[in-house]
Amino acid sequence: MPVTDPDRRTEARWARELESMLGPGQVLATPSARKAYDCDAYTIDKSKPSVVVLPETTEQVRDVVRWCNRNQVPYTPRGAGTGLSGGALAAMGGVLISTKRMTRILEVDLPNRCLRAQAGAVNKRISESVAHAGLHFAPDPSSQTVSTLGGNIAENSGGPHTLKYGVTVQHVLALTMVDVDGEIVQVGSKVPGGPGLDLLGVLIGSEGTMGVVTEAWVRLTPNPAKVETVLASFATVRDATQTVADIIAAGTIPAALEMMDEGIMKAVSLAFGLVYPEGAKALLLIECDGDPDAVAGEMRTVLDICAKHGAMDVAVAADEAERQKLWTARKKGIGAMGRIAPTIVTQDGVIPRSKLPEMLDRISEVAARRGIGIANIFHAGDGNLHPCMYFDDRDPAQVEAAVAAGEEILEVCLDLGGSLSGEHGIGVEKIGLMERMFGREGLDLMMDVRRIFNDGDLCNPCKILPNQKGCVEHMRRWRGAAW
Amino acid sequence: MVNTVLEPQTVEELADAVREAGRIEVLGSGSHVAFDVRGPQACSGLEDWSVALGHPTTLLMHRLTGVVEHHPEDMVVVVRAGTRLTDLQGALAERGQCIPWASPLGDIGTVGGLLALGLPNGLEARCGGWRDWCLGMTIVRPDGRVARSGSQAVKSVAGYDVHKLMIGARGTLGVIAEVILRTLPLGARPEPSWSATGTLSASNLRIQRTLATDFAALLTAAKGLPQVADEATSTLWSADVELPRFGHDWVMRAGCGSRNLEPFDAVQTGWMRRAKKLLDPEGKLNPGALEAI
Ligand SMILES: Cc1cc2nc3c(=O)[nH]c(=O)nc-3n(C[C@H](O)[C@H](O)[C@H](O)COP(=O)(O)OP(=O)(O)OC[C@H]3O[C@@H](n4cnc5c(N)ncnc54)[C@H](O)[C@@H]3O)c2cc1C
């Protein structure tokens, strides 16, 4: 059994041993450091690690994992801690392995359009490092100025441009990871699609439960020659969702197709003084990119469809400055919500696109019944919702209402044939709904697949799969620790 | 030993059949047998595993067919694994959609068989491949349990993408019963941009993919051979002769089955063997097709 309840002296010994192994300043064990690392961006559940380590190389990660194995101490990988489902929560305490100091770009292969970086490299920095060559790393989570490659890989992150370019799994060629036995292994290849099992396809999106990724080869995508951005407002949510459906059905795949409802529009108006037409109930942000001729054709289709559904106001960006302005509501929408409510929690369900109108009705019904506010901002093109619940977390009743509303919304997603998560992962947050989505047999199969890579209980325990040994009792301590 | 043939028509019948059976060889339409371990001349020194292990039960998937659900507005289709790709394409075309697949060998094979082999296709650079289109699966496990993976949502990060592991697994980890695929409007389907010379034969085929920077050298070496060359993914389908190898490249030769994995690195093949042990502990499914590594 893992050592999950060490006393202070044991923890102090762990810190000393790890520091002598790694180096001065690479171990944090003060009460304030442990508190700073007691959750990620999902702040409802909290659990302090005993020690935080800051390795700089793959070999140091290996040494830490081996140390954890020898001492039966649980460990949890962590990138920038922007995860929204508690994936980087040290659920059983132990060692938190932070990739904060593993930020180097190691090798750039321009002719083959790929690059090798350490897991702690920040998403945006990867693109910046090859901007001179007209290339970028396509996954663009809204957190990209801080979130790390390792976190993106673990969560299989997407972003506004996922609709056309795919999520992280489409852009990672190979990984170096320290497996749960403390061995350094490579998975995948610079030349994708070879014979045998798609191990990479399973490791990407496994939320750090199958080992610690230390480096990766990623694909680089040419920057589009032309980008056109449209912001259209609509009198009803239904007009906007029907516009989305028609654009997709026409075979046009915009680079981004994002929707914001009235709640977001109000918040953005308050925060940034942006003005939208009187009576507008929904905004669509549509971006087409690529070859200039193709973009021109796509834009004609998009504008026709917007007009057909009675778009009230259609703004097309004339230059990059205007483009950034049109993106404001999308990029800063959640932040703007944060200004009008003390607490916001963003949910992340997915539904088949055609169910969007019905889903939005159900969400407002849940909000009204639970007595909390919900605004909607989402990747409409792929049916990925981000209902943004706003409330005051100083009031335990409101926290409970928000948690219950979130679960109810996810259950509706499942009823409509969708998924519990499009981007944020399961972590500890949605673990209770996994059986509802996959059934006992589905979870058994996932457990067997986890065992291929991780047959123990030390590597990021208590995540994704319910009913893991020891987790249920432990959960009582961190569940709702913020309440 | 008598060779039994099973031909289930429903997922339940499939589950019962798999539960009751001993060793099973799973066959779609049989069109890709050329890629199995018992193909013709290509890999010398191969044992015929069906002799070594005793004739297994043959599980024919050709009756487990048909589109279960098609939601054109969501661009998602659920199809039974024994459905021939041509039939699926036909059904989708009626609603103006398709699966953007182009193989130098044509639209041969069943959906399940194609996924199980996971071969590359000529539209991959623009439209992706099976791992990008497959959103979920119903999988019959060797003990007859029926497990679901994925969903009909076009984007999902809930749980492990177990269905991705089945793609390219040659039916060794579970029997693919139903598949959820994304579709594409027919109008958006590009033409393959490959260049073709001569006629390829499925039984004497070699597929090689290299880094972009090595592809010109491969083409020079392959000059004169019947071939299909896709520069966008640096993939060459050609008649099976000895051709140069390059760093990071891979080769799949018809008739070599999992022997294709031999030059692969030991760590990754180790994981694959482990996957087989955990998911099919009794070695029931397609015996020989993965153990040969
Ligand atoms: C404002 C905001 C906007 C966001 N927008 C998006 C968005 O648009 N799309 C989206 O997909 N997500 C989004 N997210 C969620 C989050 O940013 C992503 O999941 C991101 O990829 C997490 O990266 P991170 O470095 O912060 O990882 P962390 O939060 O530190 O960790 C996330 C998970 O990855 C694991 N992990 C981290 N590093 C490693 C490693 N080296 N090896 C193995 N496992 C590891 C952790 O154990 C944990 O399970 C957003 C979050 C915020 C706060």
Side-chain angles (χ1 to χ4, degrees):
Chain A
M1 268 302 271
V3 183
T4 46
D5 287 306
D7 55 29
R8 285 262 192 70
R9 275 175 43 210
T10 310
E11 287 182 332
R13 177 171 57 80
W14 289 354
R16 276 196 311 277
E17 284 183 26
L18 286 162
E19 192 164 52
S20 67
M21 204 170 74
L22 294 174
Q26 285 187 262
V27 174
L28 311 174
T30 60
S32 61
R34 294 173 54 199
K35 182 154 186 340
Y37 284 91
D38 69 359
C39 66
D40 54 17
Y42 169 70
T43 54
I44 288 181
D45 294 333
K46 297 190 178 190
S47 170
K48 288 193 195 75
S50 299
V51 202
V52 180
V53 295
L54 307 169
E56 287 167 7
T57 61
T58 299
E59 288 70 26
Q60 286 195 332
V61 172
R62 173 196 61 197
D63 294 346
V64 171
V65 168
R66 289 185 176 175
W67 181 92
C68 290
N69 286 343
R70 274 197 308 279
N71 293 280
Q72 285 295 295
V73 176
Y75 57 94
T76 303
R78 174 177 167 118
T82 66
L84 289 164
S85 56
L89 177 85
M92 297 271 241
V95 177
L96 196 69
I97 304 178
S98 164
T99 57
K100 209 177 196 154
R101 296 207 184 154
M102 300 181 68
T103 57
R104 274 177 307 145
I105 296 195
L106 302 164
E107 217 178 324
V108 181
D109 180 352
L110 290 180
N112 290 306
R113 289 196 182 144
C114 54
L115 161 163
R116 184 165 65 98
Q118 283 189 301
V122 168
N123 173 301
K124 193 74 188 282
R125 270 253 302 130
I126 296 175
S127 291
E128 285 165 1
S129 74
V130 288
H132 63 91
L135 298 170
H136 70 288
F137 177 51
D140 61 339
S142 309
S143 57
Q144 69 182 157
T145 52
V146 275
S147 68
T148 64
L149 175 59
N152 296 169
I153 290 172
E155 301 289 355
N156 195 11
S157 294
H161 293 88
T162 291
L163 182 61
K164 178 166 176 182
Y165 293 97
V167 289
T168 303
V169 71
Q170 271 89 28
H171 300 276
V172 173
L173 296 165
L175 305 173
T176 301
M177 66 173 202
V178 173
D179 71 13
V180 300
D181 297 327
E183 296 297 331
I184 298 170
V185 297
Q186 317 265 347
V187 180
S189 156
K190 273 174 88 174
V191 179
L197 306 183
D198 184 5
L199 301 173
L200 208 56
V202 177
L203 289 172
I204 296 172
S206 62
E207 300 191 25
T209 61
M210 295 189 182
V212 185
V213 175
T214 59
E215 290 174 11
W217 273 106
V218 302
R219 276 183 211 265
L220 300 172
T221 305
N223 296 341
K226 176 88 186 158
V227 181
E228 289 274 22
T229 309
V230 185
L231 188 70
S233 49
F234 294 86
T236 67
V237 166
R238 224 162 256 269
D239 287 339
T241 50
Q242 202 49 52
T243 303
V244 171
D246 284 7
I247 290 174
I248 301 278
T252 312
I253 303 182
L257 184 42
E258 305 277 312
M259 187 167 153
M260 288 128 296
D261 76 357
E262 212 184 351
I264 300 285
M265 290 164 70
K266 277 199 189 126
V268 180
S269 298
L270 274 175
F272 308 110
L274 297 181
V275 190
Y276 300 108
E278 183 91 17
K281 292 272 193 281
L283 288 179
L284 277 187
L285 182 111
I286 309 161
E287 194 156 275
C288 298
D289 75 7
D291 160 72
D293 288 343
V295 171
E298 286 178 7
M299 281 294 286
R300 271 195 302 277
T301 311
V302 163
L303 294 175
D304 283 353
I305 295 172
C306 286
K308 187 177 125 203
H309 293 290
M312 304 168 73
D313 184 40
V314 180
V316 180
D319 53 33
E320 181 59 24
E322 276 189 40
R323 174 174 174 251
Q324 290 306 334
K325 200 169 155 213
L326 297 187
W327 270 96
T328 307
R330 176 59 188 94
K331 290 211 166 141
K332 302 203 172 147
I334 302 243
M337 295 298 304
R339 295 200 194 180
I340 59 172
T343 315
I344 52 170
V345 168
T346 311
Q347 268 298 352
D348 174 44
V350 198
I351 48 159
R353 287 178 273 243
S354 61
K355 306 276 171 37
L356 278 173
E358 178 180 352
M359 186 69 208
L360 291 178
D361 291 346
R362 302 276 294 267
I363 290 176
S364 22
E365 186 266 317
V366 171
R369 187 159 33 78
R370 296 277 176 188
I372 54 163
I374 303 186
N376 288 289
I377 190 161
F378 50 86
H379 309 302
D382 38 32
N384 186 184
L385 310 161
H386 287 317
C388 174
M389 303 182 278
Y390 51 98
F391 55 97
D392 185 344
D393 75 354
R394 289 163 298 192
D395 172 6
Q398 285 193 43
V399 179
E400 263 179 81
V403 171
E407 289 206 353
E408 235 184 284
I409 289 170
L410 290 178
E411 298 216 7
V412 178
C413 290
L414 295 184
D415 289 342
L416 296 177
S419 165
L420 290 175
S421 177
E423 298 183 330
H424 300 168
I426 300 302
V428 291
E429 183 202 19
K430 281 165 277 209
I431 203 162
L433 290 166
M434 284 292 279
E435 187 161 346
R436 172 94 155 63
M437 177 163 177
F438 294 105
R440 199 57 254 162
E441 288 75 17
L443 294 187
D444 286 349
L445 179 55
M446 283 187 199
M447 185 47 101
D448 286 345
V449 168
R450 175 191 294 209
R451 291 174 59 213
I452 300 170
F453 302 96
N454 177 9
D455 206 1
D457 46 13
L458 296 181
C459 179
N460 209 356
C462 309
K463 308 293 165 68
I464 303 182
L465 298 176
N467 306 321
Q468 290 172 52
K469 211 166 43 177
C471 291
V472 179
E473 308 83 74
H474 226 75
M475 189 196 253
R476 283 197 204 105
R477 285 184 245 174
W478 41 258
R479 173 101 307 181
W483 297 11
Chain B
M1 207 185 293
V2 190
N3 191 349
T4 329
V5 175
L6 302 170
E7 297 170 281
Q9 297 193 32
T10 63
V11 176
E12 294 69 39
E13 282 179 25
L14 171 64
D16 291 342
V18 172
R19 187 183 310 111
E20 304 294 316
R23 294 196 184 98
I24 305 171
E25 180 190 23
V26 190
L27 278 183
S29 62
S31 65
H32 285 78
V33 152
F35 271 87
D36 284 350
V37 239
R38 46 111 178 256
Q41 69 286 2
C43 281
S44 52
L46 273 184
E47 292 163 57
D48 183 346
W49 54 264
S50 58
V51 174
L53 299 173
H55 287 289
T57 301
T58 302
L59 177 62
L60 291 180
M61 296 293 286
H62 66 154
R63 297 232 163 104
L64 190 67
T65 58
V67 168
V68 186
E69 292 173 42
H70 179 201
H71 304 287
E73 66 291 3
D74 295 322
M75 297 213 280
V76 169
V77 66
V78 186
V79 62
R80 295 192 188 88
T83 311
R84 284 176 184 269
L85 183 62
T86 45
D87 293 340
L88 174 60
Q89 298 285 35
L92 294 176
E94 280 173 26
R95 308 293 300 268
Q97 299 190 347
C98 68
I99 306 291
W101 164 263
S103 165
L105 301 176
D107 272 2
I108 54 173
T110 60
V111 172
L114 285 159
L115 279 155
L117 268 157
L119 298 181
N121 91 88
L123 299 178
E124 224 170 294
R126 310 253 314 258
C127 304
W130 294 115
R131 90 200 273 260
D132 308 306
W133 311 325
C134 179
L135 302 171
M137 271 182 199
T138 302
I139 298 157
V140 172
R141 308 193 61 188
D143 58 7
R145 271 181 295 170
V146 180
R148 274 168 232 286
S149 169
S151 73
Q152 290 189 26
V154 294
K155 178 180 181 192
S156 174
V157 295
Y160 303 124
D161 275 350
V162 170
H163 48 280
K164 288 216 175 78
L165 205 57
M166 302 293 149
I167 300 172
R170 296 166 176 267
T172 56
L173 305 179
V175 181
I176 303 171
E178 284 180 8
V179 183
I180 308 172
L181 295 171
R182 14 175 9 149
T183 60
L184 190 77
L186 269 173
R189 182 189 196 275
E191 281 307 309
S193 57
W194 61 40
S195 54
T197 15
T199 314
L200 290 174
S201 125
S203 58
N204 181 36
L205 186 69
R206 179 180 195 281
I207 309 176
Q208 181 168 5
R209 182 175 283 178
T210 67
L211 287 173
T213 43
D214 294 321
F215 197 54
L218 177 62
L219 290 186
T220 309
K223 215 171 180 146
L225 288 178
Q227 61 178 270
V228 170
D230 182 18
E231 209 171 326
T233 54
S234 314
T235 309
L236 179 74
W237 291 258
S238 71
D240 189 10
V241 300
E242 197 72 24
L243 287 172
R245 297 294 306 262
F246 302 88
H248 307 285
D249 74 344
W250 55 257
V251 170
M252 273 191 248
R253 299 167 67 202
C256 292
S258 57
R259 285 279 164 108
N260 284 313
L261 283 167
E262 277 174 358
F264 241 61
D265 74 276
V267 172
Q268 295 194 60
T269 47
W271 294 118
M272 293 178 198
R273 243 181 273 125
R274 217 173 129 71
K276 174 72 176 171
K277 271 210 195 86
L278 282 160
L279 296 183
D280 182 18
E282 291 168 34
K284 271 173 77 166
L285 301 177
N286 282 349
L290 202 67
E291 293 87 337
I293 335 172

